[in-house]
Amino acid sequence: MDFALTQEQRMIYEYGDRISKEFDHNYWRGYANKNERPTELYEQITNDGFLGIMVPEAYGGAGQGMTEMLLFMEGLANNGIPLLNLVVGPTMTMGLLAKHASEDMKRRFLPGGCTGDIKFCFAITEPNAGSNSIEITSIAKSDGKGGFKLNGQKVFITDANCADYAMVVTRTTARADVKKKTDGFTIFMVDMKKKGISKTLIEVAFPVPETQWQLFFDNVELTEADVLGEVGKGFNILFDTLNPERIILSGLCTGVGRFALKKAVAYANDRKVFNNTPIGAYQGVQHPLAIARSEIEMASLMALKAAWAFDQGLPAGEFANIAKYAGAEAGIHAVDAAIQTHGGNGFTKEYGIYDLYGLVRLLRTAPLNRELVLNYIAEHVMGLPRSY
């Protein structure tokens, strides 16, 4: 059992660390407070070739895997730059295209994705289905001419305003018309400039650069060339996107947790209240921070195990779900402990700790809530009866 990173993996991790120090957390906060994309950072990442980590070299990428994408995210988040757009674009969309798209579709999307000329969003969640994707009602019906017309609604679609294309999970056969509930799903690459697409901003209650949107599809015309995989068999490849999403978000949470703890340790070593002694000398301050650090590192290890299993082509659902659960809980506990260490200063804009809480708390709920993750572990890992 070898826990050492390869030279390439170490370089990717160190690049994330270096670039996030160059732009730093205050840079990220400036864009987060404006809910705007940090363009200079993305331009640098793009120019340095890191958007295409999971894309084969033949299409302009780095030819690496989920493990390297996770390390890149952690390297950035360790210094207070968590980028949700790296989840929906380079990981979920480009990773799935690299693995399942036809040769024509790969040539159509991947080189432009690697150079940043094509931006992506991922659209699966619906207002009346939520975590139960089986019940989504958006549908692309055949138009009788070899094409489709897409109708429906999606919600909480990250950076839909910036995207050139949306990877849309929809039905081509209604739920009532299939024998098996997972049949009839199709994944389309939808040009966001097409007639019939509209979007509405969803305002979130905490600062973050990425924006959330509702999408509406009204008779949007699609063709067979827009289909990823096969018509009606999209569910078969869907989990090759959902497991990476959970893995990389665990890395985002553990990175943010490390950043918060680093700030807390610096403050606790400096702040003196009684007897000219740093508050970090008190066990009441030390122990919550030490517990949080332990949880962060355990979650990080599970995320790496999940990424390794995914890259090896092994079943990764168990590890990905545990990593997502552990990462979100560890991130919340770490940021909370950091806030408590800072006392009143933890709630000020100057120290910038509380700003992080909304993001890590979101990831206990999204993209799959903690309760459904625990249901999965109980049923599919432990063998308990299905509870819902």
Side-chain angles (χ1 to χ4, degrees), residues 200-230:
T200 303
L201 178 68
I202 301 170
E203 294 188 10
V204 297
F206 56 88
V208 67
E210 296 83 4
T211 48
Q212 301 296 320
W213 297 82
Q214 291 189 74
L215 295 181
F216 302 90
F217 303 106
D218 182 13
N219 285 326
V220 178
E221 295 183 356
L222 302 170
T223 69
E224 288 271 4
D226 299 319
V227 175
L228 174 63
E230 297 182 53

Side-chain angles (χ1 to χ4, degrees), residues 35-58:
N35 294 129
E36 292 181 5
R37 181 183 176 90
T39 52
E40 301 91 351
L41 174 58
Y42 270 104
E43 286 176 5
Q44 189 65 58
I45 289 171
T46 302
N47 292 339
D48 292 340
F50 282 83
L51 284 187
I53 286 178
M54 298 181 71
V55 174
E57 294 180 17

Side-chain angles (χ1 to χ4, degrees), residues 203-273:
E203 294 188 10
V204 297
F206 56 88
V208 67
E210 296 83 4
T211 48
Q212 301 296 320
W213 297 82
Q214 291 189 74
L215 295 181
F216 302 90
F217 303 106
D218 182 13
N219 285 326
V220 178
E221 295 183 356
L222 302 170
T223 69
E224 288 271 4
D226 299 319
V227 175
L228 174 63
E230 297 182 53
V231 174
K233 297 183 179 180
F235 204 86
N236 297 340
I237 62 175
L238 186 57
F239 282 94
D240 272 347
T241 282
L242 300 185
N243 283 331
E245 178 186 40
R246 290 163 197 178
I247 294 167
I248 196 169
L249 284 174
S250 179
L252 184 151
C253 287
T254 55
V256 168
R258 287 193 189 101
F259 175 74
L261 292 176
K262 191 162 40 180
K263 299 263 283 185
V265 167
Y267 187 85
N269 277 323
D270 182 66
R271 176 70 167 162
K272 298 175 182 176
V273 180

